[in-house]
Amino acid sequence: MPATCNVVVLLSGTGSNLQALIDSTRAGDSPVRIRAVISNRADALGLQKAQDAGIDTAVLDHRQFDGREAFDRALMALIDDFEPQLLVLAGFMRILSATFVRHYHGRLLNIHPSLLPKYKGLHTHQRALEAGDSEHGCSVHFVTEELDGGPLVVQAVIPVQSGDTPQTLAHRVHAQEHQIYPLAVRWFAEGRLRLGQQGVVFDGQPLAVGGHSIRS
């Protein structure tokens, strides 16, 4: 792993996780360099956050392409122009093709607002409350062809409180996302984290199936 790890971030929305990544790179010893931020939506607020930080941005509108595969091929070409060692999904609201996922195997991270493997997909906070769960949280994982099913790197666990609504739970989970995503990205940039043949490897040792667990 090079002394500086070039990272490309994909997003579709406000970019709160992008901002957390930007803030984390401002530490003088950070090996992470956010090389570019790419969105499929020209109105994504995250693009402005990137521009304010002096980061290159690009827009590729999926509606201009004939299907997912065509869009993903163009997206891969755009990403590869920036020569990233790591690709980070930060609220990128597109289901990626198998071709795309295989192209970036072992260097594609995502964050999901649940304690995977629970509640893959959408409406995770509502589903956790409806199930009566005592704990909830978020997960960083390597992306594979299985939606929200890749090997886990780290999870943040928070207690569900008696008066929680989906909104209050989401607020507290977001705060944890902003802690663990920059942490996982830094681990990768430092060469401590990689995806091996048998699963996630951390500091040269196989990581437990559930990844690191951080409780608050």
Side-chain angles (χ1 to χ4, degrees), residues 9-25:
V9 178
L10 303 186
L11 55 76
S12 301
T14 60
S16 66
N17 273 307
L18 168 65
Q19 189 63 58
L21 287 169
I22 291 170
D23 292 344
S24 73
T25 64

Side-chain angles (χ1 to χ4, degrees), residues 155-195:
Q155 294 186 312
V157 183
I158 63 169
V160 176
Q161 298 172 358
S162 59
D164 266 328
T165 65
Q167 292 74 27
T168 61
L169 205 49
H171 180 75
R172 298 208 314 282
V173 169
H174 284 158
Q176 296 303 313
E177 291 180 19
H178 301 162
Q179 298 298 315
I180 66 170
Y181 215 2
L183 184 63
V185 169
R186 177 161 184 147
W187 285 341
F188 186 95
E190 291 174 338
R192 301 179 66 191
L193 173 70
R194 64 181 177 86
L195 184 59

Side-chain angles (χ1 to χ4, degrees), residues 43-124:
D43 60 351
L45 295 177
L47 292 170
Q48 187 61 52
K49 289 183 171 69
Q51 291 162 9
D52 290 346
I55 298 168
D56 288 344
T57 61
V59 176
L60 196 68
D61 188 342
H62 61 277
R63 295 171 296 182
Q64 304 301 314
F65 293 86
D66 183 19
R68 184 186 303 167
E69 294 284 349
F71 172 74
D72 280 6
R73 284 195 298 271
L75 182 58
M76 285 188 289
L78 178 58
I79 292 166
D80 289 349
D81 280 344
F82 295 104
E83 300 181 333
Q85 282 83 40
L86 178 65
L87 186 59
V88 170
L89 305 180
F92 188 59
M93 303 307 290
R94 296 282 303 166
I95 295 176
L96 300 167
S97 65
T99 300
F100 185 98
V101 172
R102 285 196 295 266
H103 183 69
Y104 296 105
H105 178 77
R107 53 194 183 110
L108 179 56
L109 289 177
N110 183 46
I111 192 159
H112 184 74
S114 79
L115 297 176
L116 292 172
K118 280 188 171 184
Y119 313 129
K120 299 176 182 180
L122 302 174
H123 311 300
T124 59

